[in-house]
Amino acid sequence: MRIDSRAVHAGREPRSREPLAPPIVQTSVYVYNDLDDYDDAASGRRPGHFYTRNSNENTTWLGAAVADLEGAEAGLTTSSGMSALLVSILALAPKPVPIVAQRDLYGVTLSLLRQDLGPAGYELRLVDADDHGSVARALDGSGLLLLETLTNPLCRVADLAALGELAAARGVPMLVDNTFATPILCRPLELGAAAVVHSLTKFLAGHNDVTAGALAGPEAVVAEARARSVRMGTNLSPFEAWLAHRGLRTLAVRMRAAGAGALAVAQRLASLERVQRVHYPLLEGSPYEAVARRQFDGGGGAMLAFDLAGGRPAVQAMMERLRMVSFAASLGGVETTISHPEVASHRSLSPQERAGLGISGGTVRVSIGIEAAEDIAADFEQAIGG
């Protein structure tokens, strides 16, 4: 099946007389009446669930669905995107090693690398992912390459195939956060990634009503991450897994609708006098257009950003005039939302670091929903003026 169809059916195939929609198995523990049977399930010799911190029908179905869409052997769900990232890093680099990371990663990801993994002995080597020579030099003697398919918030596109070749030549695994692109646009495992992580909270769940994460990759990597997740207690609950799986089934239609809307809104924003720059990979003149068209399947995604003249006061004034678009420090839902990286996603960075990344007080991140693109653009136009 094509990926649009797989998104609807992935993770579970109902048998005769079973419910068509996945049921919620809302339990923390399972009953056994045979010690050998329990021992077989707990040891993994036979399939079975015994305690929800280890596994559950809903989390298993959801993990299998994400793995299917990413073209992976196995999948794992966790309590958040950050916990998925953490157990993935520890699975791929269990001992302290230098981690080569894209300079413009999500702000909380950078904080994790600096404030949590740094004291544990992991060295952080920040690089400009566009400068492949610098990446190659940083990879020498390192143990992990960490990238985002589309960066948060400025939607820069890493050339995963080229960077994956650099990492593979040095025996360094490449871990990719595919949250912004989703497997509808890009499947990093096909481009050399060792594993892929998602904040399921965002586009995969898609309705701003659940916090969850996921990892997809080879069985051995996922098994190592799962063991760490069980010990660290980063498991996802059955109800959240059910919500995320329900949202996942409409992923393809949501992403295609939102992606078309994003390009239209980006073009309209670029025409406004008070908008200094629009960041969207398929916008004419974007330095990432060529790699985005080569790497993405059918669009540039549902995320964009723009720089508003007048800085933070101008952003505040725009927010007060918006009628349909809301400020919400997340993304990926059916509603169009904005966020302000300076006070939200990248608040942990210093003003100098933000400026170095191209993030100013006037930078606005936009998550395009599935409303009519004309309505979204009109709301921004009346709120910004000009």
Side-chain angles (χ1 to χ4, degrees), residues 80-90 109 112 146 175 177 197:
S80 69
M82 290 307 300
S83 61
L85 180 63
L86 176 60
V87 297
S88 300
I89 291 172
L90 295 177
T109 299
L112 173 71
L146 177 58
L175 175 61
D177 185 335
V197 293

Side-chain angles (χ1 to χ4, degrees), residues 27 35 46 70 77 114-115 165 179 275 284 287 328 340 381:
T27 186
L35 292 176
R46 292 175 58 191
E70 287 287 5
T77 60
R114 287 171 171 161
Q115 299 173 25
E165 287 182 4
T179 297
V275 174
E284 185 177 356
H340 190 250
E381 285 177 342

Side-chain angles (χ1 to χ4, degrees), residues 65-85:
V66 175
D68 185 332
L69 296 185
E70 287 287 5
E73 291 179 355
L76 170 69
T77 60
T78 66
S79 56
S80 69
M82 290 307 300
S83 61
L85 180 63

Side-chain angles (χ1 to χ4, degrees), residues 115-376:
Q115 299 173 25
D116 298 289
L117 295 179
Y122 289 82
E123 175 192 340
L124 178 58
R125 299 178 180 176
L126 292 177
V127 295
D128 178 353
D130 296 339
D131 185 346
H132 293 185
S134 294
V135 175
R137 289 189 293 273
L139 284 170
D140 288 335
S142 70
L144 183 67
L145 174 62
L146 177 58
L147 303 168
E148 292 173 352
T149 316
L150 275 164
T151 65
N152 182 354
L154 300 182
C155 300
R156 293 166 176 157
V157 185
D159 189 336
L160 297 183
L163 294 169
E165 287 182 4
L166 292 176
R170 292 158 176 81
V172 177
M174 181 171 73
L175 175 61
V176 178
D177 185 335
N178 200 32
T179 297
F180 272 26
T182 81
I184 301 301
L185 260 66
C186 183
R187 290 163 293 282
L189 295 174
E190 298 173 0
L191 300 172
V196 178
V197 293
H198 285 275
S199 173
L200 285 171
T201 309
K202 313 305 194 296
F203 290 105
L204 269 66
H207 291 78
N208 288 319
D209 56 6
V210 62
T211 302
L215 158 69
E219 179 62 51
V221 174
V222 174
E224 179 62 27
R226 179 178 291 110
R228 292 180 178 273
S229 179
V230 170
R231 292 193 296 270
M232 297 168 68
T234 65
N235 57 289
L236 186 62
S237 78
F239 183 58
E240 277 72 17
W242 180 86
L243 280 173
H245 197 180
R246 182 180 67 167
L248 182 69
R249 296 170 79 180
T250 61
L251 174 64
V253 291
R254 287 188 286 104
M255 284 301 294
R256 299 197 191 286
L263 178 58
V265 172
Q267 291 168 337
R268 290 276 285 275
L269 285 169
S271 71
L272 301 182
E273 182 179 348
R274 295 181 183 175
V275 174
Q276 296 174 319
R277 184 178 180 184
V278 178
H279 307 268
Y280 187 71
L282 293 190
L283 197 62
E284 185 177 356
S286 167
Y288 300 101
E289 183 178 5
V291 66
R293 292 193 182 281
R294 181 175 73 249
Q295 188 163 277
F296 295 160
D297 182 10
M303 298 299 299
L304 62 93
F306 63 90
D307 299 317
L308 192 59
R312 182 168 171 170
V315 174
Q316 179 62 47
M318 177 195 70
M319 286 173 55
E320 293 170 356
R321 291 192 291 264
L322 286 169
R323 298 168 183 163
M324 182 181 74
V325 177
S326 300
F327 176 92
S330 188
L331 57 102
V334 294
E335 312 92 345
T336 296
T337 60
I338 63 168
S339 186
H340 190 250
E342 182 182 78
V343 303
S345 60
H346 289 67
R347 67 178 296 119
S348 63
L349 275 61
S350 69
Q352 294 77 18
E353 285 182 293
R354 288 194 295 267
L357 296 175
I359 298 170
S360 70
T363 301
V364 179
R365 188 188 72 189
V366 186
S367 172
I368 299 293
I370 60 172
E371 307 98 335
E374 178 64 34
D375 291 336
I376 302 169

